[in-house]
């Protein structure tokens, strides 16, 4: 079974939102662009970040570089309802109000367009409202790099 999890190559992203003034964020490796202007996330039903995204209707995605492994580990621990994962970090606020991580290779801000796929309720689809790309020449961080 574990070998099936290695069938594809996964990037590491930080998915964020803001709800009632509180910032939420998590490491997400199951994200993909499904149209020229849409991103799909697969987030566990237990995720407090997922719940906040559904309520706020907006989210940000920061594409991590190989040098940002520490951020992937930081945002992969605990729940945002219990821990301020942003504490001590320099954060940018996007046009939709979502927190974004400076130094990321790319950032996208999205509005939720579909969170009600009955048989796949953990999937969220957002329309990209704003996108930016850095000039960094680094490679993207992959899930396989986290275990190294």
């Amino acid at each position: 079974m574990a070998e099936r999890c290695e069938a594809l190559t996964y990037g590491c992203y930080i998915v964020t939102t803001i709800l009632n003034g509180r910032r939420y964020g998590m490491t997400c490796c199951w994200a993909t662009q499904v149209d020229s202007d849409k991103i799909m996330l697969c987030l566990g039903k237990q995720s407090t970040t997922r719940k906040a995204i559904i309520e706020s209707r907006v989210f940000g995605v920061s594409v991590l570089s190989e040098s940002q492994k520490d951020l992937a580990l930081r945002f992969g621990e605990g729940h945002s309802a219990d821990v301020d994962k942003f504490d001590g970090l320099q954060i940018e606020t996007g046009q939709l109000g979502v927190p974004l991580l400076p130094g990321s290779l790319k950032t996208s801000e999205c509005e939720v367009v579909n969170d009600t796929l009955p048989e796949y309720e953990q999937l969220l689809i957002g329309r990209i409202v704003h996108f930016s790309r850095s000039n960094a020449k680094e490679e993207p961080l992959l899930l396989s790099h986290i275990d190294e």
Side-chain angles (χ1 to χ4, degrees):
M1 176 68 170
E3 290 176 353
R4 283 188 253 167
C5 292
E6 297 176 13
L8 298 175
T9 301
Y10 299 97
C12 284
Y13 315 99
I14 302 298
V15 175
T16 59
T17 196
I18 190 162
L19 179 64
N20 300 324
R22 181 166 180 86
R23 299 176 294 193
Y24 294 80
M26 64 179 287
T27 300
C28 175
C29 296
W30 291 356
T32 191
Q33 191 167 345
V34 292
D35 201 344
S36 62
D37 67 341
K38 293 189 181 57
I39 292 176
M40 181 172 62
L41 307 174
C42 182
L43 305 177
K45 290 187 266 185
Q46 80 288 352
S47 167
T48 56
T49 300
R50 176 187 175 275
K51 293 171 187 171
I53 289 171
I54 289 170
E55 194 170 335
S56 70
R57 309 303 294 168
V58 294
F59 64 89
V61 179
S62 297
V63 178
L64 299 181
S65 68
E66 286 181 323
S67 66
Q68 294 177 304
K69 179 178 176 179
D70 59 322
L71 289 174
L73 295 171
R74 178 183 187 136
F75 279 83
E77 292 289 321
H79 288 281
S80 291
D82 303 324
V83 178
D84 183 359
K85 298 179 185 186
F86 300 89
D87 186 43
L89 292 178
Q90 179 184 0
I91 300 297
E92 294 176 355
T93 301
Q95 293 177 7
L96 296 178
V98 296
L100 300 169
L101 298 170
S104 298
L105 296 175
K106 301 174 185 177
T107 59
S108 298
E109 297 173 66
C110 302
E111 294 177 334
V112 174
V113 294
N114 185 335
D115 62 1
T116 56
L117 300 170
E119 61 275 10
Y120 299 106
E121 63 183 277
Q122 69 273 28
L123 298 180
L124 296 172
I125 298 173
R127 182 178 59 81
I128 301 169
V129 174
H130 187 266
F131 168 81
S132 68
R133 175 190 336 249
S134 79
N135 293 325
K137 300 298 180 204
E138 290 186 74
E139 294 295 317
L141 181 64
L142 301 179
L143 177 59
S144 58
H145 297 153
I146 301 297
D147 295 329
E148 295 175 347

